[in-house]
Amino acid sequence: MDVRIGQTRITGDVRSLWRKANARQAKSGKAGEPSLLLGLTGGIGAGKSTVSEVLGKCGCVVADGDVIARAIVEPGTAALREIHVRFGSSVINDGALNRSELARIVFSDPQALADLNAITHPRIRARANQILATAAPGGIGIYDAAVLLEAGMSSMVDGIIVVTAPCGRRLSRLVERGMTKDQAQERMANQMSDAERLTHADIHVDNSGTIHELRNSTVLMYEALVHASPST
């Protein structure tokens, strides 16, 4: 697959992804046609959320890691109770998670972050798997997760879509969202680099163009994925 609209380009071997899906299906012992499960990741401001939105509108089943992460720590959940025990009352406000305080604690303390991940990641993985399992035979499931690779969750899917964009463009987008330039640069610096992400990529979405070009290219990517299915 080589899709190019304007300055946006999407490349990848889509047929190999279906072969991986078939191998996963055979290993599981399940009969019938598999669904294709893809992880979607990218740095902040790269355009990952736009790709996820378009794929959802095309008919893909989308497991949104951010939505799941918020749901598992709602008031009354076991995860929130464990977070309360580990981090104390300062991270709880009127029975709900004080996200800014928790972020302040874990941002500068690797052990605290590891402890938080140990509480949340298994629950996120389990819920994402439940959602992806609803993809129909021959259909496509998307696991949208910014830390898909960092959290070691790539084994859940048949392939990885990585969205990249020029650093200057990403910075401008983040400032437009309300961050200061320093905040945006700090967030970008604390994430995995695009070069490292791309070593895991089966499909590369080079979002160097406009959002309109990205949306149109993503539709063509979806159509290429569907066309590559053994059932078509």
Side-chain angles (χ1 to χ4, degrees):
M1 174 183 61
D2 189 347
V3 172
R4 186 190 295 271
I5 296 181
Q7 297 183 65
T8 296
R9 185 181 182 189
I10 303 178
T11 55
D13 181 1
V14 293
R15 293 194 180 279
S16 69
L17 296 174
W18 282 103
R19 288 194 291 270
K20 291 179 184 178
N22 281 320
R24 170 177 52 80
Q25 183 85 337
K27 186 177 180 180
S28 72
K30 296 178 181 178
E33 184 181 5
S35 54
L36 177 63
L37 306 182
L38 298 174
L40 172 63
T41 193
I44 187 170
K48 173 181 68 67
S49 295
T50 297
V51 173
S52 179
E53 175 197 347
V54 173
L55 290 174
K57 289 180 177 177
C58 286
C60 296
V61 170
V62 177
D64 187 321
D66 287 340
V67 172
I68 295 170
R70 288 192 294 270
I72 65 165
V73 295
E74 288 180 349
T77 59
L80 185 60
R81 289 193 293 272
E82 291 183 26
I83 290 170
H84 189 181
V85 170
R86 168 58 180 85
F87 295 99
S89 298
S90 66
V91 301
I92 305 297
N93 186 9
D94 292 331
L97 182 63
N98 184 335
R99 297 178 184 279
S100 60
E101 176 61 14
L102 182 61
R104 185 191 66 77
I105 293 171
V106 303
F107 185 75
S108 58
D109 185 340
Q111 185 57 57
L113 178 59
D115 291 345
L116 176 63
N117 290 342
I119 294 170
T120 60
H121 282 180
R123 292 176 168 93
I124 294 171
R125 177 192 290 266
R127 179 56 184 146
N129 274 324
Q130 288 176 342
I131 295 170
L132 293 174
T134 67
I140 299 172
I142 303 293
Y143 183 23
D144 174 356
V147 294
L148 178 79
L149 300 173
E150 296 91 328
M153 296 184 185
S154 58
S155 60
M156 296 167 53
V157 294
D158 303 312
I160 306 294
I161 302 171
V162 174
V163 185
T164 66
C167 288
R169 189 182 296 269
R170 291 172 59 193
L171 185 61
S172 297
R173 289 170 183 159
L174 296 176
V175 171
E176 288 172 4
R177 294 180 194 173
M179 290 187 188
T180 66
K181 185 176 180 180
D182 287 344
Q183 288 172 332
Q185 288 175 327
E186 184 177 36
R187 288 286 299 276
M188 290 169 62
N190 280 285
Q191 291 188 330
M192 180 182 286
S193 70
D194 281 346
E196 189 173 359
R197 285 192 191 90
L198 286 172
T199 64
H200 302 272
D202 295 283
I203 295 177
H204 177 202
V205 179
D206 178 4
N207 179 22
S208 295
T210 66
I211 190 169
H212 180 71
E213 291 170 352
L214 178 62
R215 289 180 180 278
N216 287 342
S217 296
T218 301
V219 171
L220 293 180
M221 174 178 69
Y222 169 77
E223 292 173 348
L225 288 166
V226 171
H227 183 71
S229 168
S231 64
T232 58

